Amino acid sequence: LSDIGIHLLRYNPTNNTLLIIYDNANIDILKGKDFYNFSDIKRKSITGKKNINEVIFKGNLAYLSCGFGIIVFDTDKLEIKDTYLIGPNGSYLNVYQTEYTDSTIFAATSSGLYKANTSTLLNNYQNWKLVSGIPSGAYSGVVKYKNKIVANFSPYAANGTTNRDTLYSYSGVSWAKDNIKTFPYHLPKMLPNGNNLVLID
């Protein structure tokens, strides 16, 4: 290992790649028996929060939800493919988690749940819009679960207020409160696991 303080371990079965992500945004990559280090994010000068909150994979691409935006990392070529700064006027925004469908990518952020059509230029902040029909404020996570998009509205993520988080799900038509977990609760993290949903509190 090239660093200390492991924050995340995320595995991409598409190309048998394990990402070892540290608290300081350094990344080690294990591909089969080969070991690499990717320190570009760690070394980059950023005024926002330089951390990696979560990872999802789409083929060989890893979408890194970061304290300043979203980085698309190619796990075959081991290079950054793109960066999405989705805050107002392209500013830094703390992204806790991302998720995608066939046509839409969602981002749970400190300022709300954002979405963009995947057919648009995702590195253009103007193509990212706040999701309507749900409360405004911080969202600590967004996942796909049983053909729905589930997002967690999180006063806990915003200011540490416990037992006020609320899950909302989108069936493709409208958003509604979801009773996956009995209120009250707070959910720092949720992760899809096959047909199951892991809720971490």
Side-chain angles (χ1 to χ4, degrees), residues 10-19 29-34 36 57-62 73-79:
R10 294 292 181 263
Y11 175 69
N12 187 359
T14 300
N15 56 4
N16 191 30
T17 300
L18 178 69
L19 300 186
I29 301 112
L30 182 62
K31 293 176 68 68
K33 296 181 180 180
D34 298 319
Y36 309 90
F57 297 101
K58 188 174 184 180
N60 65 305
L61 299 179
F73 180 69
D74 191 319
T75 60
D76 283 338
K77 297 180 180 179
L78 304 185
E79 64 184 21

Side-chain angles (χ1 to χ4, degrees), residues 8-21 27-31 52 54-65 70-76 78 97-101 105 142-144 191-192:
L8 294 173
L9 295 172
R10 294 292 181 263
Y11 175 69
N12 187 359
T14 300
N15 56 4
N16 191 30
T17 300
L18 178 69
L19 300 186
I20 304 165
I21 298 172
I27 304 175
D28 283 336
I29 301 112
L30 182 62
K31 293 176 68 68
I52 300 172
E54 195 48 78
V55 181
I56 60 166
F57 297 101
K58 188 174 184 180
N60 65 305
L61 299 179
Y63 290 75
L64 311 180
S65 300
I70 302 167
I71 285 180
V72 185
F73 180 69
D74 191 319
T75 60
D76 283 338
L78 304 185
Q97 194 170 22
T98 55
E99 185 58 277
Y100 59 85
T101 66
I105 181 170
V142 58
V143 297
K144 276 189 299 191
L191 297 169

Side-chain angles (χ1 to χ4, degrees), residues 74-180:
D74 191 319
T75 60
D76 283 338
K77 297 180 180 179
L78 304 185
E79 64 184 21
I80 292 176
K81 180 178 176 65
D82 212 341
T83 301
Y84 308 150
L85 301 179
I86 67 174
N89 298 314
S91 60
Y92 293 147
L93 183 60
N94 191 359
V95 179
Y96 295 112
Q97 194 170 22
T98 55
E99 185 58 277
Y100 59 85
T101 66
D102 290 339
S103 60
T104 308
I105 181 170
F106 293 89
T109 82
S110 55
S111 296
L113 184 66
Y114 282 76
K115 68 175 181 178
N117 191 307
T118 54
S119 65
T120 63
L121 290 174
L122 297 179
N123 56 12
N124 183 345
Y125 73 91
Q126 293 178 318
N127 291 324
W128 291 83
K129 307 296 182 185
L130 278 169
V131 172
S132 60
I134 53 177
S136 59
Y139 282 76
S140 65
V142 58
V143 297
K144 276 189 299 191
Y145 174 61
K146 292 186 176 180
N147 297 319
K148 299 184 294 185
I149 291 293
V150 179
N152 185 51
F153 171 66
S154 184
Y156 180 81
N159 53 33
T161 301
T162 59
N163 298 329
R164 290 291 183 271
D165 287 11
T166 307
L167 289 167
Y168 288 85
S169 63
Y170 180 66
S171 61
V173 178
S174 60
W175 289 88
K177 287 185 180 180
D178 204 304
N179 61 0
I180 296 172

